Structures are given as structure tokens and as C-alpha cells.
Amino acid sequence: MFDRDPEGTMSDFPYADRFPVHRTLPEQGRPREDLLAELTAMAAEEDAVWESGKISGTMYCGDHEHYAYLTEAFAKFAHVNALQRDMCPSQTKFEGEIIAMVLDLMHAEAVTGTRPGGLVTSGGTGSILHAILAYREYAAATRGISAAAGRLPNLVKPETAHPAFDKACHLFGIENRTVPVDPATTLVDPAVVAAAIDDNTIAIVGSAGNYPYGTIDPIAELGRIALDRGAGLHVDGCLGGFILPFGEELGYPVPAFDFRVPGVTSISADTHKYGYAFKGSSVVVFSDKAIRNAQYFHQVGWSGGKYMSPGMDGSRSGGLLAATWASMVHLGRDGYRAYARDIFATAEAMMATVRSHPELRIMGAPTFCFSFTSDAFDIYHVADFMKPRGWRFNGQQYPNAIHLAVTRPQTKACVLEAFSADLAEAVAYAREQQAAGRLAHSGAIYGGVIGGLTSEVEAVMTMIMDGMLDTQQSLPPARA
């Protein structure tokens, strides 16, 4: 039987042995102070997991003072619905300025002949979904590409591009043309992309950088192909959008990936990653508002009044807009640049540590986010050894590799020292396990390293999802 959590670090019924389990809505509410005490205890324990600095990605800021500041900004508008702009003009200010600042960061001034625009979304997946929906609708309106017209739209993307693109194709009835990447560089070959394009291609995709390896696809070459073939080019900067521009300013070899590149028509950038805002915020910007506007939704005949929506969401918390705006304006370019300096330096030092072991190999030529593998042993032996010491890497596959997105919690000197010492012991352990013919337990699942995926993968993944929805989000058995 598949063991989702063999080391017992994840409980199906967390806190059931310590705090009351609510099986029905209480007849009478519990005191606020009791509930806040429970929340405080849970938060403190969960914060301790990432405060060690041994967690890949996840907590990109890791600064409790900054979180407290954002919480204060959020609280002032948490009850506000961003949909009600007539009642809450603050949301127009916040959202407009967030979009304007991202357009500026992505060099929208380089765009000529059109007017750029953008949307604030609920996260990277939301930004990608909105972009691909916009391309589908725009291609239908301007090029006659639609299933109804007998022309099934298609999207061409590298294998390393985020699965949100696959989800978009699945949801919106778009043919997904995924092309391989070079196994040595981890980058997509523009010639392979060009060969996959036809008259029904609505857009192609490049990453800056991609999640698995942190490497940046050849955006300039992809831009030339997009222009030549009349397709859009979406650059997924969800991971790198708020750190690569500052790495470039610091002198790191970051190639242009934004609107300075002819052919780039949209970019996603997550404010809730290296933008250091709260989770649930991202921005997608377009070189031409006409593309963005294509995915607007209108229902003018509804009995409840004329309905219109600029994106897929309806009601949204004004608190997230306020906190995102507050983070960006408080940090400014200088603040982001200072944090980027620390992160790039830490990533370089960590990668140097990896390279000091002949058995280990960095995948491609990454910057702030990197992945490494081994040709001498199964790299998951390394993950197995380091997990009990608090390290939480993300597992990759094809080939097996482990990934670390360096964030602010890793920039403490003690974390680098621990990484160096623990990795040295992990390599020795991996050699021993490989020589003994033992199998590693860890495996590759987005957002973590979970073991046991050796066969019937789809059935196992379904079981994991069932566990999340039907077990972990259910209740423990009632006590007699």
C-alpha cells in the first residue's frame, strides 16, 4: 500500500488531540480569546518549520516584521470587496498602481503602437489562466481560430513550463503541444518550437525562469519566432519576475525577457513570491490592452442587472490589494535590489557547495533557483538523508533531481553552514545506499518530495488528492 507520509510528519487530523473538533456549527460561539490562543499556538509551531531556513521557496520573505506590517495594511481593507469600486475607490488606486509598477518593471515603455495593460490575479496559476484565455478569445476574434470554426486553437510550450499552462489548455479546449527541452542546458530549442507551430497556434511560451531548474528560456529567439508566425508569446515570470530585474541591475547575467524583447506580448509575475506580498496575489501584463480585453466577460440580459467582469473572479478581498500595494511601495527598487543581492549571493554559495562534490551536478546554468542531480547515485538518497534534519527540497523527475528556490530565510550564514555540512554527510550516505542496492524513498511531486511513486502513477496521484480532500479535510472519528 502506498504510504503518503511514512515518516509521520503529516497528520490527517492535525491538532485533534489538543484542540476541540467542530463537527457542527456551535450552538453558541466560543470566546474570541480561546480561539485566538489556539490560532497563536498553531501559527507558532508552523512558523518554526520554515524559520530554520531549510525550506525551498514557500516563505519568500520570512520577515515577521514585514508580515506584521502587511497584516496591518490587510486588516484595514480585509472586509472590503474590490468589486465595489464606487464604494471603495481605494481599490482602484491600489490595483491601478500595482499594475503600473509591474508594467514599469517589465519595461512597458519599450512597447510601441499599442497601449499595455494588466490584471491583478489570485496567483501564478490565475495569471497564466487569464493570459491563455485572453489569447484564445483574441485569436478567435482576430484570426478566426476557434473550435466552432473548425480550427482548434493550440498552444506550444516547453516541457519545463508550469503545469498551469496544461491546466489552461484542459479547461479552455486548447490543444496542448508540449515540446522537449535540451537535457544539458534545460532550455527549449527555438527550432523545435518553430516546428510545432501552425496556423492555429494562438501563443507560445517561455519561462524566466522555469520552476524545475530556474533557467531562462531563449526569450529573444522565441520573440522572433512569435513575430514571424503571428503568434503571441507569453513569458512566465511568476517565479523570476520580481527578482531577475534586480539581479540584472546588480550585474548578474540575466538576459532580457520582458517587453524590451520584440514579440513578447504578455508576462506573468507573482507579487506573492519575490514581491514579498501575501499569498493570493499575482499580476499578468499585456503589451496590448486589446489582448487583455478579449477575455472580459459580459452578460447584459441577466435579471439581476447587466453583469460584467474583467477577470474570472468576482468578489475579491480588498485586503490583498492593499497589502500587495503596501509591500511594493514600502520596499521600492532599493529594497528589492538589496534582498536580491543577498539571495543571488546565497544561491551562488550554495551552488558552489554542490559543485564541490564530484558526484553532484547542477542542472543547466541557473541563478537564484537551482536544481541538482547525480550520475553516481539516485539523488533522492540525498533528500532522504536531509529531510530528518529539517531540509525540505522539491523533487524533480526525468532525470531525478532536487530543487531549491533560495529565499530570504536561506540568506542567514548559519543556513549555508548547515547546508554544507549536511550535504557532505548526505553524499556519503547516498554512496553507501547505492552500493548496498537500496532504493530511495523520496520522489517527485510538485511542492515537495514524497515517496513511493514507482507504478500506476495516476492512480497513486488520485489517491493522494482523495486523501487531501476526503481525509485531511474531513474529521477524525468521533470518540466513544
Side-chain angles (χ1 to χ4, degrees), residues 37 63 77 129 182 232 251-252 267-268 276 280 289 331 385 403 415 449:
D63 180 343
F77 298 92
L129 292 178
D182 185 290
Y252 286 91
I267 307 167
S268 49
Y276 307 122
K289 285 176 59 177
L331 290 172
F385 179 86
H403 154 108
V415 176
V449 179

Side-chain angles (χ1 to χ4, degrees), residues 398-456:
Y398 317 129
N400 289 354
I402 52 179
H403 154 108
L404 183 64
V406 179
T407 58
R408 287 186 61 200
Q410 274 96 56
T411 59
K412 297 176 289 188
C414 61
V415 176
L416 180 59
E417 293 169 4
F419 179 73
S420 178
D422 290 344
L423 185 62
E425 292 188 46
V427 168
Y429 169 84
R431 284 197 301 262
E432 294 170 0
Q433 299 302 301
Q434 193 77 16
R438 299 189 184 99
L439 296 177
H441 180 79
S442 298
I445 291 184
Y446 176 62
V449 179
I450 301 179
L453 297 185
T454 56
S455 64
E456 300 180 352

Side-chain angles (χ1 to χ4, degrees), residues 103-133:
L103 283 168
D104 176 66
L105 190 62
M106 297 296 123
H107 290 96
E109 77 280 355
V111 175
T112 58
T114 59
R115 185 179 174 189
L119 291 167
V120 177
T121 74
S122 60
T125 293
S127 286
I128 289 168
L129 292 178
H130 279 89
I132 303 310
L133 178 60

